[in-house]
Amino acid sequence: MSDALDATPYDALLLLSFGGPEGPDDVVPFLENVTRGRGIPKERLKEVGQHYFLFGGVSPINDQNRALLDALRKDFAEHGLDLPIYWGNRNWAPYLTDTLREMVADGRRRILVLATSAYASYSGCRQYRENLADSLAALEAEGLELPRVDKLRHYFNHPGFLEPMIDGVLASLADLPEDVRAGAHIAFTTHSVPTASADTSGPVETHGEGGAYVEEHLDVAELIAAAVRERTGVDHPWRLVYQSRSGAPHIPWLEPDICDHLEALHSAGVPAVVMAPIGFVSDHMEVLYDLDTEATAKAGELGLPVRRSATVGDDPRFAAAIRDLVLERAAAESGREVTPCALGALGASHDVCPVGCCPARAPRPAAAGADSPYA
């Protein structure tokens, strides 16, 4: 194998995701896993679970992860990258701890982790790292030999992540009626988070209003809007907006909400909207319900034509981007010179999360970072 396709020192890739229920009986236990330690009554979880029950109690995220695994394995095999790929979830089977235990039994000792979240934030990065630390602690308590675990850098501005989203926006614009297409607004959407969490996202030196979470999303939105302008000749107005708020009403979260934004656009006479979910890797429940169901219904009430553009999912370009990131990190760990691939104003993200990056409300050990107890 040539050096270009050498993943040394790594001997496995772990796809780490959120997880989701795969039937009605799974919904409440899944939500109990998600909210463990918060003291939320089961009756309240049943109410929250109605979004899942509307879709037969099945979240599409697990099937989407299976499709991504197939795409990654196909890409790796076609390019001669001999690196086994495993899958573990934070909140549902296959559980992360079980998968790591399987990897140890298979002799894996240097593991790269791909999280299904492209941006810096507590819930999108550090919480995954905390779950990794919890699982490693469980294996340590069992007397198992612990592998070294590293996490791939944030990939929000990698061309293999951006290009499928650009194509999705272009396809959605083309699908709008011709008489409203040129005046269409692009609403780039992502998951709302508490403003306090956003403000402390990313390395300490970059903390500020919105932190790295908002900054990275704005960079992606600008890149996509610029590509659309270049390819269509139309300068579509756009804004970064938010969805899927789930916190207490008295806690400030990032705004505006997508439904409020649609109302404001309609009042301003905007003729059509493309909703582009740039904050999500795949069409999981928050995309299907919050955009395809709730926001689309709001637009229907307003008489506002809307289209929702595609997420990246298992696009072959995304699989190729992951291969590129694996080889990039392997080269860096082996002391070989590497030029990270990234577009936009922010450049490539850090390989190792620094101390104080995306802090939790209550400090907890987190693996795969400069403050990891499992170096």
Side-chain angles (χ1 to χ4, degrees), residues 259 261-267 295 297-305:
C259 289
H261 186 56
L262 292 175
E263 289 186 341
L265 292 174
H266 178 256
S267 297
K298 171 59 70 176
E301 293 171 12
L302 298 168
L304 179 64

Side-chain angles (χ1 to χ4, degrees), residues 120 125-126 129 154 200-207 349-359 366-372:
C125 183
R126 185 170 181 98
R129 293 175 49 224
H154 304 304
T200 57
S201 59
V204 173
E205 61 271 16
T206 66
H207 288 172
S349 183
H350 46 259
D351 276 338
V352 179
C353 292
V355 175
C357 193
C358 304
D371 55 355
S372 172

Side-chain angles (χ1 to χ4, degrees), residues 69-247:
L69 285 167
D70 288 343
L72 289 170
R73 288 168 177 149
K74 181 175 185 290
D75 178 271
F76 284 17
E78 288 178 347
H79 290 86
L81 178 56
D82 184 17
L83 190 71
I85 308 172
Y86 296 74
W87 171 35
N89 289 325
R90 290 168 47 189
N91 299 297
W92 202 248
Y95 287 104
L96 172 59
T97 302
D98 295 336
T99 300
L100 281 176
R101 187 182 296 111
E102 176 188 358
M103 296 177 83
V104 169
D106 289 347
R108 312 304 175 193
R109 294 296 177 263
R110 287 292 302 271
I111 298 170
L112 259 179
V113 176
L114 164 64
T116 53
S117 175
Y119 301 86
S121 69
Y122 171 72
S123 57
C125 183
R126 185 170 181 98
Q127 194 169 18
Y128 282 90
R129 293 175 49 224
E130 290 176 351
N131 294 142
L132 281 166
D134 291 342
S135 293
L136 290 170
L139 299 188
E140 187 175 41
E142 296 172 13
L144 298 178
E145 181 180 351
L146 298 186
R148 174 171 165 176
V149 177
D150 294 330
K151 181 178 174 290
L152 287 173
R153 66 174 172 89
H154 304 304
Y155 45 84
F156 63 93
N157 56 3
H158 194 288
F161 185 66
L162 288 164
E163 284 294 335
M165 292 191 292
I166 292 168
D167 285 351
V169 171
L170 290 169
S172 291
L173 286 168
D175 192 49
L176 284 168
E178 188 174 357
D179 61 332
V180 298
R181 189 179 304 151
H185 172 97
I186 305 173
F188 294 105
T189 76
T190 190
H191 204 301
S192 186
V193 298
T195 56
S197 177
D199 290 346
T200 57
S201 59
V204 173
E205 61 271 16
T206 66
H207 288 172
E209 187 174 356
Y213 185 72
V214 171
E215 184 180 43
E216 290 170 359
H217 281 87
L218 286 172
D219 199 41
V220 168
E222 289 171 355
L223 285 164
I224 295 174
V228 169
R229 180 171 60 250
E230 179 182 345
R231 299 178 197 186
T232 65
V234 180
D235 190 7
H236 290 275
W238 62 269
R239 184 170 181 179
L240 177 63
V241 300
Y242 302 93
Q243 61 175 92
S244 312
R245 175 183 171 141
S246 58

Side-chain angles (χ1 to χ4, degrees), residues 258-259 262 275 289-300 306:
I258 178 61
C259 289
L262 292 175
M275 300 182 293
Y289 183 80
D290 296 330
L291 294 183
D292 293 357
T293 305
E294 190 173 49
T296 300
K298 171 59 70 176
V306 294

Side-chain angles (χ1 to χ4, degrees), residues 153-154 157-159 324-325 328-329 332 337-343 347-351:
R153 66 174 172 89
H154 304 304
N157 56 3
H158 194 288
D324 181 61
L325 291 169
E328 172 196 301
R329 183 62 182 274
E337 187 174 347
V338 61
T339 302
C341 185
L343 302 177
S349 183
H350 46 259
D351 276 338

